[in-house]
Amino acid sequence: STDMLMSSEKEEDSDVIPEDSSLLTLRIRKKDLERREETIIVDRACRQETLTYEMESHATGKRPDNLTDLIEDGELLLTLNIFYPVIFQKHKDHKPYQTVLVLGSQKLTELRDSISCVSDLQIGGEFSSQPDQAPEHISKDLYKSAFFYFEGIFYNDKRYPECRDLSRTIIEWSESHDRGYENLQSVKMEDYVFNDLSLKIGFPYLYCHQGNCEHIVIITDIRLIHHDDCLDRNLYPLLIKKHWLCTRKCFVCKMYTARWVTNRDSLAPVDPCFFCDVCYRMLHYDAEGNKLGEFLAYPYVDPGIFN
Amino acid sequence: MSAVPGLKEDCEELLGAFQQADTVRFERFAELWRERRFHTVFYGRIRALERNKLTKTTLELAQQYFLPPYSFQIRVGALYLLYGLYNAQLCQPKQKIRIALKDWPEIQKFQQDLLDSQHYDAAYVFRRLRLARAFHFTAMPKLLTYRTKKKIEENYFKEEFKDPSNRVNSLITNDVLEELMNIHGHYQKMKCVISADKSQPDKALSLIKDDFVVNLKDITLEHQEWQQNRRKLFRNAKETDETENKKKEGTLLESEGSERANALARIKYKSYSAVVEASKSRRHRQVQLESSETGSSCGKSPSKKTSRRPQPERRRGEMQVAKETVTRHIGMPIITEENSDE
């Protein structure tokens, strides 16, 4: 039987819409293009678009160097949307999320490690008197507990001795009275892979860490792995979409991302006020390192730090 | 996924033209495609990111026509359309066609139907797509996106593309008729056994119409044929004013219809003996049998160009059976009144 009778015979420029097209799609698109030409001065991809496209497609077709890392046929690929915990007014209608691809045979702990949340990097404590001693350990190291909640089961991270069972509170609460939730269980996260779970697509699940930082997790797609996908196991969980958050800049230089935030600062015009490291030290400390004025200062990690 | 403006209309127009052409041959589809230069549907200065999204939406739209409840011809047209769109797309690497797990058995059945009815070009197209790894096998048919919609779009099926909902046929299937025949046979035998004359049931025991199974089947066939004629007329009246004779010449029954008709022809053949027996005791009732097609009985060569189901063989088989009257029903069929007796 016949083959590719579809393609055009002569050389055609796929950018040019033919004049006398009988397709409604093309007529509409042509009008759109003309309108764009009139109104937009420079019509090219902005940074955001390039970033989104790159992230979507950077890993397609990749093969591992080491053949043991090659993904087998029949492997499942899940697409998860993990929502950011930040709540801004402008995000009312569309809450920002990042999209992660994960393999069916990967453990839940691998996913947990790959989720980057700004609250993991927070440093607690007031450091106006000793700015140089802002400690190295971030919250991620201090509070290692986390859990996932899928279909009535809490998967707690128990790899380290400091990890606590955060879900215990919830289970006790639900068992104390008849609240209509049957059978909540608590198991270890590191014992399970995604293939073991029973999941609903589109149903919101929970990822909680740091005790009170909660992310909604939604599974949008499950499919078989395909020849054109990235077949390097080491690259998974793979981040393919990230929401771009504008970072807060230093109040003084308006150039660098803020690293310090001050409250009740006599030297600052607003409360709270954000400073980058250099400006902060220049304003609040003299040449010997003595504190000038009264203020409370906290190290600040901007949510946009992962851009 | 946001819809591409104008695309649905274009696809439906192409599939409509294909349906009009009353064939499932790929050459015909390719002609229609080339007429409209459908491969240009991806043209226009589109940047990479949007082109990916656009192609995905296009393939998703075309894929909807590939599944039931659309009629067989539309499904074959959708297969060709998917083939064309998949190969004409400008994305690199190519965007894939999503197939959900629940649809896969139906698609396999569809492919088996294609092979059985010897539509090798359609089966070949499907095989090409599989070899080109054009499919993503997914759990759900639509990829979820999370944007609050301003209005919820209703997904409506274009009425004309849909298979006529054949409630009657789905109730009175082959199996049901065979069952009825069997039970009827048993019943007759039972009556014979308990009556005085071992070869024939007692007159006093004749409580039912003996050939009601055959009548049931005939009525069903009549209904099906009426429905198809009505659809054809409807379509003709709406669009062009071609002469009706041309349209009626080749009735393109759906593949299920043809299989069922084959099986029913078998049952009919078997049941003719029953009819002959009963007519002795029921001389006052007219037994009216109708053939299952309206088309003129001119012989058609099953050429590859114009695809017909293996109808000529079946028709010849039926011609052999005597006592057959060919009737044409355009309007509502008139069900002959039967005197109720006993």
Side-chain angles (χ1 to χ4, degrees):
Chain A
S1 301
T2 50
D3 206 335
M4 303 268 283
L5 297 176
M6 303 301 183
S7 32
S8 57
E9 301 80 13
K10 52 189 191 314
E11 267 304 307
E12 272 185 5
D13 186 6
S14 69
D15 280 344
V16 174
I17 298 184
E19 271 304 321
D20 52 348
S21 178
S22 58
L23 296 173
L24 181 61
T25 321
L26 285 182
R27 291 202 292 268
I28 296 179
R29 196 177 293 159
K30 200 169 164 62
K31 270 194 247 157
D32 233 11
L33 268 182
E34 281 165 10
R35 196 171 43 89
R36 255 168 63 185
E37 269 169 36
E38 284 170 26
T39 52
I40 301 180
I41 304 170
V42 177
D43 193 7
R44 64 186 161 91
C46 61
R47 286 187 305 172
Q48 259 83 331
E49 188 177 327
T50 320
L51 175 71
T52 321
Y53 178 65
E54 274 306 304
M55 289 207 72
E56 242 180 49
S57 52
H58 72 107
T60 37
K62 281 218 177 118
R63 301 284 181 269
D65 300 323
N66 190 352
L67 276 183
T68 53
D69 291 334
L70 190 66
I71 298 178
E72 300 284 311
D73 208 7
E75 180 76 63
L76 285 177
L77 190 69
L78 291 99
T79 314
L80 306 169
N81 281 358
I82 302 170
F83 286 77
Y84 290 7
V86 290
I87 303 178
F88 291 131
Q89 265 300 58
K90 63 178 176 181
H91 292 151
K92 246 190 324 197
D93 291 324
H94 320 291
K95 203 156 154 89
Y97 58 89
Q98 43 175 295
T99 310
V100 173
L101 292 177
V102 85
L103 296 171
S105 58
Q106 286 192 302
K107 291 202 264 205
L108 295 185
T109 44
E110 292 178 49
L111 174 66
R112 193 236 178 210
D113 293 335
S114 76
I115 298 179
S116 47
C117 173
V118 69
S119 58
D120 278 337
L121 305 172
Q122 302 286 3
I123 303 167
E126 204 272 316
F127 292 106
S128 55
S129 325
Q130 56 279 26
D132 298 321
Q133 284 172 28
E136 297 308 312
H137 11 279
I138 53 179
S139 302
K140 188 165 187 168
D141 302 326
L142 287 175
Y143 310 114
K144 292 210 182 72
S145 337
F147 70 81
F148 281 104
Y149 172 74
F150 291 120
E151 292 295 312
I153 305 180
F154 291 92
Y155 299 89
N156 285 285
D157 190 359
K158 286 283 177 63
R159 289 175 288 177
Y160 308 100
E162 312 74 76
C163 295
R164 295 190 308 170
D165 187 1
L166 297 174
S167 58
R168 198 166 40 93
T169 332
I170 303 178
I171 296 180
E172 283 170 6
W173 167 85
S174 84
E175 281 169 1
S176 59
H177 299 288
D178 182 22
R179 301 195 196 258
Y181 296 100
E182 327 87 17
N183 242 3
L184 295 175
Q185 299 168 35
S186 168
V187 297
K188 284 204 219 166
M189 197 197 280
E190 54 271 20
D191 292 340
Y192 286 83
V193 292
F194 277 97
N195 279 332
D196 299 331
L197 306 175
S198 60
L199 301 164
K200 293 190 210 162
I201 294 191
F203 191 84
Y205 296 116
L206 192 70
Y207 166 63
C208 177
H209 63 136
Q210 301 285 324
N212 64 353
C213 182
E214 293 174 349
H215 301 249
I216 295 196
V217 175
I218 299 188
I219 306 185
T220 49
D221 187 27
I222 305 179
R223 63 175 174 82
L224 287 176
I225 200 91
H226 189 272
H227 183 261
D228 284 344
D229 291 326
C230 169
L231 294 180
D232 186 355
R233 189 175 283 276
N234 293 328
L235 292 176
Y236 285 92
L238 180 67
L239 189 64
I240 55 171
K241 181 179 191 299
K242 194 156 66 169
H243 190 93
W244 178 287
L245 289 166
C246 290
T247 57
R248 258 191 249 267
K249 301 288 189 288
C250 168
F251 193 85
V252 179
C253 60
K254 309 255 196 294
M255 267 202 322
Y256 293 104
T257 310
R259 293 268 310 278
W260 289 93
V261 61
T262 58
N263 289 110
R264 297 211 288 245
D265 194 346
S266 46
L267 301 164
V270 292
D271 190 333
C273 193
F274 297 92
F275 297 96
C276 67
D277 200 41
V278 175
C279 298
Y280 171 72
R281 286 173 202 278
M282 278 205 312
L283 179 60
H284 294 94
Y285 301 94
D286 61 14
E288 282 86 45
N290 299 321
K291 182 171 159 176
L292 306 170
E294 283 302 313
F295 58 92
L296 299 168
Y298 306 92
Y300 173 71
V301 183
D302 193 271
I305 201 167
F306 294 113
N307 284 350
Chain B
M1 289 268 173
S2 52
V4 179
L7 187 66
K8 197 172 163 102
E9 285 78 11
D10 283 331
C11 283
E12 284 181 353
E13 196 265 317
L14 178 59
L15 286 176
F18 187 63
Q19 193 182 32
Q20 280 280 3
D22 240 0
T23 170
V24 289
R25 292 277 75 83
F26 182 67
E27 288 102 353
R28 190 80 188 90
F29 183 86
E31 273 168 33
L32 294 171
W33 173 283
R34 271 195 301 268
E35 265 172 48
R36 291 164 181 74
R37 300 183 70 224
F38 216 84
H39 65 281
T40 57
V41 78
F42 294 116
Y43 281 14
R45 269 195 328 247
I46 313 178
R47 289 195 292 265
L49 183 67
E50 200 189 318
R51 192 166 56 217
N52 278 354
K53 200 163 88 135
L54 180 87
T55 314
K56 232 188 257 191
T57 323
T58 309
L59 287 174
E60 194 182 306
L61 180 71
Q63 180 245 19
Q64 284 172 13
Y65 294 103
F66 186 43
L67 303 166
Y70 289 105
S71 68
F72 184 79
Q73 195 182 18
I74 295 293
R75 289 177 73 180
V76 179
L79 174 64
Y80 295 150
L81 181 66
L82 280 172
Y83 181 64
L85 288 173
Y86 181 77
N87 286 316
Q89 66 176 293
L90 304 166
C91 297
Q92 198 54 253
K94 292 198 184 284
Q95 295 293 324
K96 312 288 186 289
I97 306 169
R98 290 176 65 95
I99 301 212
L101 187 64
K102 65 175 167 73
D103 297 327
W104 184 242
E106 287 176 20
I107 293 181
Q108 282 189 310
K109 199 159 70 91
F110 181 67
Q111 191 191 13
Q112 196 54 42
D113 280 347
L114 287 178
L115 289 173
D116 290 339
S117 0
Q118 299 178 343
H119 294 303
Y120 293 128
D121 52 359
Y124 178 72
V125 161
F126 185 68
R127 202 177 132 80
R128 287 284 303 225
L129 279 175
R130 289 225 43 200
L131 283 178
R133 298 191 176 101
F135 295 114
H136 265 169
F137 298 101
T138 68
M140 289 285 125
K142 276 197 187 210
L143 188 59
L144 296 181
T145 49
Y146 282 92
R147 299 191 81 84
T148 48
K149 284 207 171 88
K150 304 270 173 32
K151 54 181 166 86
I152 312 287
E153 312 171 1
E154 281 288 315
N155 197 7
Y156 74 100
F157 295 114
K158 198 159 152 97
E159 264 310 310
E160 289 164 357
F161 287 176
K162 225 168 45 152
D163 238 354
S165 59
N166 232 334
R167 300 267 170 100
V168 177
N169 274 352
S170 59
L171 185 60
I172 318 255
T173 60
N174 286 353
D175 299 335
V176 168
L177 284 176
E178 289 220 28
E179 275 288 312
L180 286 176
M181 283 291 303
N182 285 339
I183 296 175
H184 189 66
H186 278 302
Y187 180 57
Q188 295 289 68
K189 277 198 214 113
M190 199 55 67
K191 283 201 289 192
C192 289
V193 163
I194 63 173
S195 44
D197 177 7
K198 291 298 174 191
S199 66
Q200 246 198 22
D202 259 344
K203 289 291 177 358
L205 291 175
S206 302
L207 295 166
I208 60 161
K209 297 183 182 156
D210 278 335
D211 48 1
F212 82 99
V213 180
V214 179
N215 282 341
L216 187 63
K217 173 197 50 83
D218 289 337
I219 293 175
T220 317
L221 283 178
E222 211 180 288
H223 171 84
Q224 185 185 4
E225 162 193 316
W226 165 79
Q227 208 177 21
Q228 282 176 356
N229 281 338
R230 202 184 65 135
R231 265 182 86 216
K232 278 233 145 83
L233 276 184
F234 200 59
R235 234 195 307 149
N236 291 348
K238 258 178 71 173
E239 298 179 356
T240 66
D241 23 317
E242 293 175 42
T243 53
E244 288 180 4
N245 296 331
K246 237 199 292 180
K247 281 290 165 189
K248 286 219 206 93
E249 227 168 73
T251 316
L252 191 67
L253 299 172
E254 292 87 8
S255 65
E256 301 98 343
S258 75
E259 276 163 23
R260 192 182 303 126
N262 275 336
L264 286 176
R266 266 189 287 121
I267 297 182
K268 201 198 255 190
Y269 200 78
K270 267 196 291 182
S271 67
Y272 267 109
S273 41
V275 171
V276 171
E277 278 173 22
S279 67
K280 281 197 211 128
S281 54
R282 291 207 181 312
R283 241 172 283 124
H284 54 274
R285 225 166 66 350
Q286 291 291 344
V287 175
Q288 201 173 20
L289 294 169
E290 285 132 2
S291 91
S292 59
E293 55 236 30
T294 59
S296 54
S297 48
C298 51
K300 279 179 207 26
S301 51
S303 65
K304 223 167 171 250
K305 270 285 173 193
T306 56
S307 106
R308 308 284 178 225
R309 298 283 182 289
Q311 282 178 6
E313 293 85 11
R314 181 163 57 87
R315 208 174 289 156
R316 257 180 261 126
E318 280 176 5
M319 289 305 191
Q320 287 164 13
V321 181
K323 284 194 195 176
E324 204 171 352
T325 53
V326 176
T327 51
R328 286 172 186 252
H329 288 274
I330 312 300
M332 270 298 284
I334 304 164
I335 306 200
T336 52
E337 279 297 307
E338 288 156 357
N339 302 337
S340 58
D341 40 24
E342 335 278 33

